[in-house]
């Protein structure tokens, strides 16, 4: 497989500075118009249509150009021009014997060439019922059914692959290649969503065989890349996405190029190819800035997160710091919050915990102010748990209390956010000797069990044991810790179980039951499944416990075994 980083470097270095050559025929101008429309530039698309019409094309191409002109007029809000173009098209349809299509378009008017709405969907269905008889050409019915099928897909309905198949067949039989391309481009992802990946890829192969404009070929490759990624074929997906990036860039379709570059960044990131991922993010940012879209904020955020993931904490912090100074210019509150949250992550990685907490709390405030209470609560928990212990709360009653209040308001179907907030508040209160902390933790455990999350409930049991010990009930705490350990082992959460048992051993020693603690340490030291770091800790604790019992020889042996684990092999 070619090195993606090298390919992306080559893409950046070899991009031409000169404009694309002008189309030489009306058909080429039509394809250019379609590309400009996909690039969200309806004015340029309308200019391309006008250039094509000026060449006095044959009727089929003229009809397609007039349809494109009407669509662009509607998008631009120029109802007078739209009505004029539709009138000319309607006349030409009648002159070329397409009476029924002319009648349909006259009935539906210029709105037929705009986006489908609830009202237009109802009118399309009514028109389909009126004209669904043997005398209506299949392509006319397809023209009515295609927008409805796509509208249903956009609303999350089950993909109507049967309808899209029928439309594609009608256009194929009639030789309407532009309409066939649109049908196949809609059919392929619908088939993939329905679970028929081979058929979806076959549809895209047929689309590729049609030739078509640079933009259409790029869209087909992008659809292929997405389907292959969903089918867990990342290598093939990368090939398709890179080709799509090159074609989108050639066609000047910035939105498509951004999508292709982001997909490449995500695929590279999943394969831990940090250089390639960073290059792809930078290409996406460049495309967005050329298009002057608001997407550049989210893309720069993606680059910063990739830098942080790759270990470049300084680079990530510098990027997020620059973004933070530009927050007032960022339209999306969620993006503003993500910038601050990610900046906090970078600052924390730089060991600047005070600044990290300030950034996280700022992000939480933004989330909370815009109805995203669950995000806000989670960030406050992070800020409270990872800030230095000697840092005072920013305000009373503290971050964990705020997190609980936000979680109570949040959309939290399984109660997970509230459970973690109660757990954190309960632990903090118990550590200060406040009995209500234990009730918070018990409520968190109950929430987890109600939601069917027995693993979380078992983990929370260790926190409950900690709270019981902090409140002076050592005997109950030991029992709780050992019960939590048993439950964690039943879920094969070995490290968590060992942590619970180590807590129980520590409490045994505090209660003067050192021999019980040593028995527990010995048992753990013989468990060959422990991670080396955890085993080293157990041996150190075993040595300490034996020393407390006055068994100097056994204590020395345990410490020696622990020390041997730190020596390089062969020494």
């Amino acid at each position: 497989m070619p090195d993606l980083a090298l390919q992306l470097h080559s893409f950046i270095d070899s991009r031409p500075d000169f404009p694309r050559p002008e189309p030489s025929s009306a058909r080429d101008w039509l394809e250019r118009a379609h590309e400009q429309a996909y690039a969200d530039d309806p004015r340029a698309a309308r200019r391309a249509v006008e250039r094509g019409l000026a060449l006095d094309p044959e009727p089929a191409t003229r009809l397609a150009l007039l349809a494109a002109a009407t669509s662009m007029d509607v998008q631009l809000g120029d109802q007078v021009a739209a009505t004029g173009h539709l009138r000319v098209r309607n006349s030409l349809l009648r002159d070329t014997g397409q009476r029924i299509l002319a009648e349909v378009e006259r009935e539906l008017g210029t709105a037929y060439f705009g986006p489908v709405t609830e009202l237009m969907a109802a009118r399309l269905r009514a028109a389909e019922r009126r004209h669904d008889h043997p005398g209506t050409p299949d392509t006319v019915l397809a023209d009515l059914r295609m927008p409805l099928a796509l509208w249903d897909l956009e609303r999350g309905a089950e993909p109507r692959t049967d309808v899209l198949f029928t439309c594609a067949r009608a256009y194929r039989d009639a030789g309407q290649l532009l309409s066939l391309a649109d049908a196949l481009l809609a059919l392929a992802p619908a088939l993939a969503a329905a679970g028929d990946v081979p058929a979806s890829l076959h549809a895209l192969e047929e689309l590729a065989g049609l030739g078509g404009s640079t933009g259409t070929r790029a869209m087909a490759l992008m659809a292929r890349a997405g389907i292959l990624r969903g089918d867990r074929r990342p290598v093939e997906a990368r090939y398709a996405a890179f080709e799509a990036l090159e074609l989108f860039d050639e066609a000047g379709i910035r939105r498509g190029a951004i999508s292709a570059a982001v997909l490449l960044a995500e695929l590279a990131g999943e394969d831990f190819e940090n250089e390639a991922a960073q290059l792809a993010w930078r290409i996406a940012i460049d495309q967005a800035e050329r298009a002057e879209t608001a997407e550049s904020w989210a893309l720069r955020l993606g680059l910063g997160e990739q830098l942080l993931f790759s270990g470049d904490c300084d680079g990530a912090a510098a990027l997020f710091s620059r973004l933070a100074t530009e927050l007032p210019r960022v339209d999306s509150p969620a993006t503003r919050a993500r910038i601050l949250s990610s900046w906090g992550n970078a600052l924390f990685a730089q060991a600047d915990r005070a600044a990290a907490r300030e950034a996280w709390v700022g992000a939480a405030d933004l989330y909370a102010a815009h109805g995203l209470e669950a995000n806000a609560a989670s960030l406050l928990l992070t800020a409270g748990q990872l800030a230095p212990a000697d840092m005072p709360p920013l305000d009373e009653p503290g971050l964990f209390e705020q997190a609980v209040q936000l979680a109570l308001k949040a959309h939290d179907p399984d109660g997970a956010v509230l459970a973690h907030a109660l757990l954190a508040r309960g632990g903090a209160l118990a550590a200060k000797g406040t009995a209500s902390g234990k009730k918070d933790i018990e409520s968190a455990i109950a929430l987890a069990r109600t939601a069917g999350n027995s693993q979380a409930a078992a983990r929370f049991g260790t926190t409950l044991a900690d709270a019981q010990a902090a409140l002076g009930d050592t005997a109950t705490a030991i029992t709780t810790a050992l019960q939590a350990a048993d439950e964690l082992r039943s879920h094969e959460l070995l490290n968590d179980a060992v942590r619970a048992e180590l807590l129980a051993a520590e409490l045994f020693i505090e209660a003067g039951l050192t021999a019980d603690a040593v028995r527990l340490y010995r048992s753990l030291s013989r468990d060959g499944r422990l991670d080396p770091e955890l085993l080293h800790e157990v041996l150190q604790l075993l040595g300490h416990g034996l020393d407390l019992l006055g068994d100097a020889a056994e204590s020395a042996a345990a410490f020696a075994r622990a020390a041997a684990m730190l020596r390089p092999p062969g020494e």
Side-chain angles (χ1 to χ4, degrees), residues 359-559:
W360 286 328
V361 171
D365 289 344
L366 277 170
Y367 278 132
H370 291 88
L372 298 168
E373 290 89 357
N375 303 61
S378 297
L379 271 177
L380 289 177
L381 292 176
T382 299
Q385 291 163 341
L386 298 182
D390 59 351
M391 282 183 66
L394 295 184
D395 59 271
E396 295 299 336
L399 297 177
F400 296 148
E401 173 62 27
Q402 293 177 57
V404 170
Q405 297 308 316
L406 285 166
L408 288 168
K409 300 176 185 175
H411 175 66
D412 185 22
D414 59 0
V417 176
L418 178 58
H420 282 91
L422 288 168
L423 188 76
R425 185 178 73 177
L429 289 171
K432 294 178 179 179
T434 304
S436 62
K438 182 169 76 75
K439 294 180 180 177
D440 275 349
I441 299 168
E442 289 169 343
S443 295
I445 293 171
L447 277 170
R449 293 204 188 283
T450 300
N453 192 345
S454 56
Q455 290 189 8
R459 287 192 172 105
F460 294 172
T462 306
T463 307
L464 178 60
D466 254 328
Q468 290 166 337
L471 293 169
D473 191 354
T474 304
T476 303
I478 291 171
T479 301
T480 301
L482 292 174
Q483 288 174 343
D486 288 342
E487 190 173 359
L488 288 162
R489 284 183 183 276
S490 74
H491 290 294
E492 299 184 352
L493 299 170
L494 179 61
N495 284 2
D496 291 319
V498 171
R499 287 292 170 199
E501 287 165 329
L502 291 179
L503 172 60
E506 178 186 341
L507 295 173
F508 274 134
I509 292 173
E510 288 181 10
L513 303 171
T514 305
D516 290 326
V518 167
R519 276 193 292 273
L520 193 49
Y521 290 142
R522 280 192 193 280
S523 174
L524 291 173
S525 71
R526 296 182 184 120
D527 191 336
R529 297 172 299 164
L530 265 60
D531 292 339
E533 295 82 0
L534 195 51
L535 177 58
H536 179 268
E537 183 181 347
V538 168
L539 289 169
Q540 292 271 30
L541 291 168
L542 174 60
H544 176 66
L546 288 164
D547 185 53
L548 291 174
L549 290 176
D551 192 341
E554 287 291 321
S555 174
F559 281 125

Side-chain angles (χ1 to χ4, degrees), residues 44 55 83 90 101 123 161 163 180 183 228 261 305 310 316 350 361 370 461 470:
L55 295 176
T83 302
N90 206 264
L101 180 56
R123 295 181 65 197
T161 53
V163 173
L180 174 59
L228 289 168
E305 290 173 345
S310 66
Q350 289 182 311
V361 171
H370 291 88

Side-chain angles (χ1 to χ4, degrees), residues 86 89-90 93 101-109 112-113:
L86 182 56
R89 175 177 159 85
N90 206 264
L93 283 171
L101 180 56
E103 183 181 337
V104 167
E105 292 187 4
R106 183 185 58 76
E107 291 170 1
L108 296 174
Y112 173 58
F113 294 84

